[in-house]
Every structure is written in structure tokens, then in C-alpha cells.
Amino acid sequence: MNKLTTVFCVVVALSIPLTASALELLSPLDDCTLTEERVRVVGSGPDGERGKISFGGRETSFRVKNGRFTTALNLGQGTHEVTFTLAGETLVANWIVAPKAGKGAYEYHPRMDKRDECSACHEETVTIEPDSDVGKICSRCHSKMDEKRYVHGPTAMGMCSACHDPHGSIYPTYLRYDPETLCVECHNQPITGEHTAQAGDDLCTDCHNPHQSDKKFLLE
């Protein structure tokens, strides 16, 4: 592995804007379609605070522990407006439950939709930030991708969640955004814009491997 190349990539690629909020919904995403009527919710907020969730004339409560909260809501098929209230803040999520929905529907990461399975990834700590080294956790199930000559910076540092959402996503392979948007979050230099303009409708991953390659620039 070219260590100098790897370190350089990390410096450039990890300028990821992280948004801090007293109340934040981590999973599922707002304004998405769900295929399961039982919805596993994960969010963040001030530690120790109690909050409430209102939906369809019903109400339930939750408590934030170590900066995170999780609960399950039983929603029927159709459109739902779900209101979260915590520490004086209100957040509204709009979800559609459609069991037969196909492409574009929110897909939970395996185990996320099962009760008491959080500890499979969170046995050491509850709070895992996108720029944390989670490679040792992910490699329990996923094959390592850092064995070729050139390795993408986040991959080399075990920062899988810089690109992938560990809870779920509406995008392929649980990406945080669509591939076109995700890559330019970090690769936003002027030359990148020129390069993508020349590529036309081709995606970055049509030519570049997002994890590792034996060729320079992670070419396939």
C-alpha cells in the first residue's frame, strides 16, 4: 500500500461538514417511503432529556441516553406526519408506508429493523460519529477493502460511515447521498468540476473504485 498517498487522501477527503443539532433524526430519513409498518427510529439529542412523539392521534415518549434515542412506531399503510418534541425543539418527519414500494424506498441496514440488535454494532459506545474509525466494527460482517496498492482515504482510516449510513438509506449500498452528490462533498476542487463535466452522464464509480485499486486515481 502507498502510505503517503493514503494519508494525503485522508487530509483532502475528510473535510465533511457535520451538522450539530439538539434534536436530530438519524433514521429513517425525513420525507421517504418505508416498506415496513413497524418503523425503527433512531435520533440524537441532549443526554438525559425526555421527549415525546405524536402521530395519528397517538403519543409515545422516549428518553435520550448517551446522546441517542431509539424507539419503534407501529404505523399503518399510507402517509404519516410524525412530530418529535424534545427540550423545547420540534421536528416533523413525513413518511409514506407502502409495503410494495420498490426502488427509492428506505432500506434498513441488516439488524436495524430488529428489536434489541443495536448492540451488534454499539456494544462499546452508543455515539459513533461519521468521522470515527468504525472499520473494526464493519469488518465483522463486511470484507476488508484496504489490501490493494491505492486505498481511498476514508477506507484506509476505517471511516466507512463517512460515505455509508450504518442505519439505512434510500440510496444503493446505504450511501448517505446519491453518488454524484456524495463524491463532490469532498472532491470539490475546480479540476473536479471540469472532470465531471467531461464525463457527462457517467458516474464517478463507473471509472473509479470508491474503496481500493491497484491503479492510480483508484481507476477500475
Side-chain angles (χ1 to χ4, degrees):
M1 180 189 303
N2 188 324
K3 298 293 184 182
L4 292 178
T5 301
T6 298
V7 173
F8 176 76
C9 286
V10 171
V11 173
V12 173
L14 293 182
S15 56
I16 301 170
L18 302 178
T19 305
S21 175
L23 174 60
E24 184 177 3
L25 187 63
L26 302 178
S27 176
L29 302 174
D30 180 26
D31 194 26
C32 70
T33 299
L34 310 170
T35 58
E36 300 290 337
E37 294 186 25
R38 184 176 184 275
V39 180
R40 169 70 69 178
V41 178
V42 179
S44 64
D47 193 34
E49 292 284 348
R50 289 187 176 275
K52 67 178 182 178
I53 305 173
S54 304
F55 60 101
R58 291 174 285 171
E59 188 174 288
T60 187
S61 61
F62 63 89
R63 183 178 180 181
V64 181
K65 184 178 180 181
N66 296 323
R68 296 288 189 266
F69 67 86
T70 180
T71 187
L73 306 177
N74 292 314
L75 304 178
Q77 296 185 37
T79 303
H80 300 272
E81 182 179 277
V82 182
T83 303
F84 298 80
T85 305
L86 176 70
E89 283 197 68
T90 299
L91 185 154
V92 179
N94 293 283
W95 294 322
I96 298 174
V97 177
K100 295 184 179 180
K103 186 177 180 180
Y106 187 88
E107 182 179 353
Y108 283 105
H109 188 273
R111 290 187 168 181
M112 252 300 297
D113 56 349
K114 297 179 181 178
R115 186 177 180 85
D116 300 327
E117 286 284 350
C118 303
S119 60
C121 298
H122 289 278
E123 58 186 16
E124 294 180 8
T125 178
V126 172
T127 305
I128 301 176
E129 300 297 343
D131 58 349
S132 299
D133 181 356
V134 296
K136 59 184 179 181
I137 298 176
C138 299
S139 62
R140 294 173 188 170
C141 299
H142 300 279
S143 300
K144 289 187 176 182
M145 298 183 178
D146 60 355
E147 299 172 345
K148 294 187 177 181
R149 183 178 181 185
Y150 298 98
V151 180
H152 193 204
T155 305
M157 298 298 291
M159 297 176 180
C160 310
S161 55
C163 299
H164 302 276
D165 192 315
H167 297 116
S169 175
I170 62 174
Y171 304 111
T173 64
Y174 307 107
L175 291 176
R176 289 189 174 276
Y177 311 105
D178 63 275
E180 301 96 317
T181 302
L182 182 62
C183 295
V184 298
E185 281 285 298
C186 298
H187 299 280
N188 54 9
Q189 299 83 4
I191 193 172
T192 304
E194 298 172 8
H195 183 62
T196 53
Q198 293 174 355
D201 294 332
D202 292 338
L203 300 178
C204 303
T205 51
D206 287 340
C207 298
H208 303 274
N209 189 295
H211 298 109
Q212 62 177 346
S213 175
D214 285 323
K215 299 178 182 179
K216 197 174 181 180
F217 304 120
L218 298 175
L219 289 173
E220 293 282 13

